[in-house]
């Protein structure tokens, strides 16, 4: 099983992940299994486990930095401190600014 970022009932792709994480937890999946459904399982499905899905030397360095351990509680997957994407670090403040720019139609 994998999590996904389809639009669902929300206005933009990715926003339904919070709901999906909660529903998976309610269905009895552990935070570890939900994290694996979001990282390792998609990498395996895409046949790219040599490049993504875990944090190791030589792999893509796209990752989310959290403020709390996601293994303690699935809600901690939403406590985003920063994002590293394509070698660029985005702090929580920068992410908030990007969200406002996108919401107001001014893009990235």
């Amino acid at each position: 099983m994998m999590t996904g970022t389809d639009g669902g009932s929300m206005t933009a792709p990715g926003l339904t992940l919070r709901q999906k994480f909660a529903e998976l937890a309610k269905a009895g999946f552990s935070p570890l299994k939900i994290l694996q459904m979001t990282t390792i399982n998609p990498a395996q499905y895409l046949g790219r486990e040599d490049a993504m899905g875990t944090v190791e030397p030589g792999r893509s360095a796209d990752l989310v930095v959290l403020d709390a351990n996601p293994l303690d509680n699935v809600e901690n997957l939403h406590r985003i401190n920063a994002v590293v994407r394509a070698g660029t670090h985005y702090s929580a403040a920068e992410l908030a600014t990007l969200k406002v720019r996108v919401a107001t139609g001014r893009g990235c």
Side-chain angles (χ1 to χ4, degrees):
M1 286 181 56
M2 296 181 289
T3 60
T5 59
D6 57 316
S9 62
M10 301 295 218
T11 58
L15 296 178
T16 57
L17 279 176
R18 178 178 291 273
Q19 179 183 3
K20 289 176 186 178
F21 293 159
E23 291 296 325
L24 288 166
K26 200 175 358 177
F29 289 96
S30 70
L32 174 61
K33 287 293 181 194
I34 296 168
L35 185 60
Q36 290 171 333
M37 288 179 200
T38 308
T39 56
I40 296 169
N41 294 5
Q44 290 172 340
Y45 176 79
L46 294 171
R48 297 193 56 211
E49 57 266 60
D50 60 331
M52 58 189 283
T54 60
V55 179
E56 297 178 52
R59 295 183 181 237
S60 297
D62 295 340
L63 48 98
V64 177
V65 181
L66 303 173
D67 281 330
N69 187 343
L71 300 181
D72 292 340
N73 186 320
V74 72
E75 283 298 311
N76 291 343
L77 288 167
H78 307 294
R79 296 188 56 189
I80 299 171
N81 177 280
V83 170
V84 178
R85 172 74 176 115
T88 302
H89 177 272
Y90 298 92
S91 68
E94 291 169 314
L95 293 170
T97 299
L98 285 171
K99 285 180 188 177
V100 169
R101 289 179 67 187
V102 169
T104 60
R106 292 181 289 156
C108 297

